[in-house]
Amino acid sequence: MNFPKQSNRVHLNIDSYSTMMNFAKEHSHKEIIGVFFGKINENGDIEISEAYPFRVGRRTEVHLKDSDYEKVLPIIKDCSTRNLEWLGWFHSHPFKRGDHLYMSQTDVSYQYPAQIQNPYWTAIVCNPHQIKDSSTTRGMRAFRLSINSDDSKITKKVIEVPLKIE
Ligand SMILES: [Zn+2]
């Protein structure tokens, strides 16, 4: 199994950025969740090219439900015909004032088992109220859990992965 390096980045095409952020903007007071697909580059960067909005949650909580996993199966099949694989999930922290782009303990508990299956599995957190925050990538940040260099075990330590929109 290959593992991403600390220097690896997440590249997001403008279409998938717009799909995620427009969904978050439409529900700017509720958390939204969705999934994205793309490719792992030879250098270990990932390129996200398609995003799929899934669900609107409550104000401070959103989860994927069993019916969402059923919904994602035909998308996985369809994307595989374009050599795209399921590389992660996005959700919003739609709060005003301050920096809300981080991984909560609940987020980590979702990310952990998925990243054990695929070390490149990535979480994108977005906030429509932080689009102009220059410490973010137009209102988004990407995260993974750190991988222990000795034994390649996934830890529960959150690391930010540089995110580029292009
Ligand atoms: Zn969250």
Side-chain angles (χ1 to χ4, degrees), residues 31 62 89 91-93 102-104 106-107 125:
E31 293 203 8
V62 65
W89 61 300
H91 74 292
S92 65
H93 288 174
Y102 63 91
M103 291 283 277
S104 71
T106 310
D107 297 339
V125 184

Side-chain angles (χ1 to χ4, degrees), residues 10 12 17 20-21 24 31-34 36 48 62 88-95 99-104 107-108 111 122-128 130-131 135-144 158-161 163:
V10 174
L12 186 60
Y17 172 83
M20 295 182 207
M21 193 55 92
E31 293 203 8
I32 54 91
I33 192 167
F36 52 75
I48 299 167
V62 65
W89 61 300
F90 66 94
H91 74 292
S92 65
H93 288 174
F95 310 115
D99 188 347
H100 303 283
L101 297 181
Y102 63 91
M103 291 283 277
S104 71
D107 297 339
V108 170
Q111 174 70 18
T122 305
I124 290 179
V125 184
C126 60
N127 183 357
Q130 276 182 259
I131 289 173
S135 76
T136 73
T137 303
R138 289 200 240 166
M140 289 186 180
R141 287 199 185 106
F143 300 98
R144 282 195 194 115
V158 176
I159 48 170
E160 185 175 349
V161 186
L163 175 63

Side-chain angles (χ1 to χ4, degrees), residues 1-163:
M1 196 185 270
N2 288 320
F3 295 93
K5 300 181 288 288
Q6 286 281 3
S7 57
N8 280 139
R9 294 163 179 264
V10 174
H11 304 267
L12 186 60
N13 73 357
I14 192 72
D15 283 353
S16 49
Y17 172 83
S18 301
T19 300
M20 295 182 207
M21 193 55 92
N22 288 343
F23 187 40
K25 278 183 188 166
E26 281 164 30
H27 308 281
S28 61
H29 301 287
K30 285 180 176 168
E31 293 203 8
I32 54 91
I33 192 167
V35 298
F36 52 75
F37 290 75
K39 289 179 181 172
I40 303 168
N41 276 352
E42 277 170 30
N43 74 357
D45 286 1
I46 65 166
E47 303 210 6
I48 299 167
S49 51
E50 296 186 23
Y52 295 86
F54 258 57
R55 170 176 299 280
V56 180
R58 288 197 287 260
R59 209 181 75 81
T60 61
E61 199 181 275
V62 65
H63 304 290
L64 287 178
K65 297 189 174 169
D66 287 347
S67 60
D68 292 329
Y69 290 103
E70 285 163 25
K71 220 164 63 176
V72 84
L73 289 175
I75 303 176
I76 292 172
K77 270 193 186 161
D78 185 54
C79 282
S80 71
T81 66
R82 296 188 291 286
N83 290 316
L84 303 176
E85 60 177 304
W86 190 7
L87 289 177
W89 61 300
F90 66 94
H91 74 292
S92 65
H93 288 174
F95 310 115
K96 291 184 179 166
R97 288 182 289 278
D99 188 347
H100 303 283
L101 297 181
Y102 63 91
M103 291 283 277
S104 71
Q105 284 310 306
T106 310
D107 297 339
V108 170
S109 70
Y110 275 93
Q111 174 70 18
Y112 182 74
Q115 201 181 320
I116 287 174
Q117 297 298 313
N118 180 351
Y120 291 89
W121 188 265
T122 305
I124 290 179
V125 184
C126 60
N127 183 357
H129 307 288
Q130 276 182 259
I131 289 173
K132 290 183 177 157
D133 179 341
S134 61
S135 76
T136 73
T137 303
R138 289 200 240 166
M140 289 186 180
R141 287 199 185 106
F143 300 98
R144 282 195 194 115
L145 300 173
S146 177
I147 298 167
N148 192 325
S149 54
D150 295 334
D151 56 7
S152 296
K153 284 242 162 62
I154 310 289
T155 72
K156 294 208 171 166
K157 181 178 167 243
V158 176
I159 48 170
E160 185 175 349
V161 186
L163 175 63

